[in-house]
């Protein structure tokens, strides 16, 4: 896993959170905090894992601690949840009550 891959994945997930949940903020970390309970526990943990990996990546000696398989799995888990969200249905549910 390379830095461009990690940055691209996190940026894509942040854009998907904006599109599906309407969460504003800059970067995946801030959007995860703002999303709060809109995301289930597993998806929140997967997002937090990606944020932690991004922080570890900044330090060359700590990069060795990153598990590429776990990182891909976390990105996959968060993406699957966000892809399953139907924005129109959420809007209808909001107005219906």
């Amino acid at each position: 896993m390379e830095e461009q891959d990690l940055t691209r994945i996190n940026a894509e997930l942040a854009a998907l959170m904006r599109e599906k949940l309407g969460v504003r903020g800059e970067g995946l970390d801030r959007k995860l905090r703002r999303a709060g309970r809109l995301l289930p526990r597993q998806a929140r943990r997967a997002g937090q894992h990606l944020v932690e990996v991004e922080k570890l990546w900044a330090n060359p000696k700590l990069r060795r601690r990153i598990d590429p398989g776990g990182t891909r799995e976390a990105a996959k888990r968060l993406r699957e949840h966000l892809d399953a969200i139907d924005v129109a249905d959420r809007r209808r549910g909001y107005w219906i009550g």
Side-chain angles (χ1 to χ4, degrees), residues 88-97:
D89 187 48
R90 285 190 74 229
R91 218 175 284 128
R92 269 186 250 121
Y94 175 78
W95 288 108
I96 290 173

Side-chain angles (χ1 to χ4, degrees), residues 68-85:
T71 303
R72 281 190 206 96
E73 182 64 32
K76 179 183 167 196
R77 187 176 299 135
L78 183 56
R79 183 180 303 279
E80 283 176 352
H81 175 73
L82 292 173
D83 285 339
I85 295 174

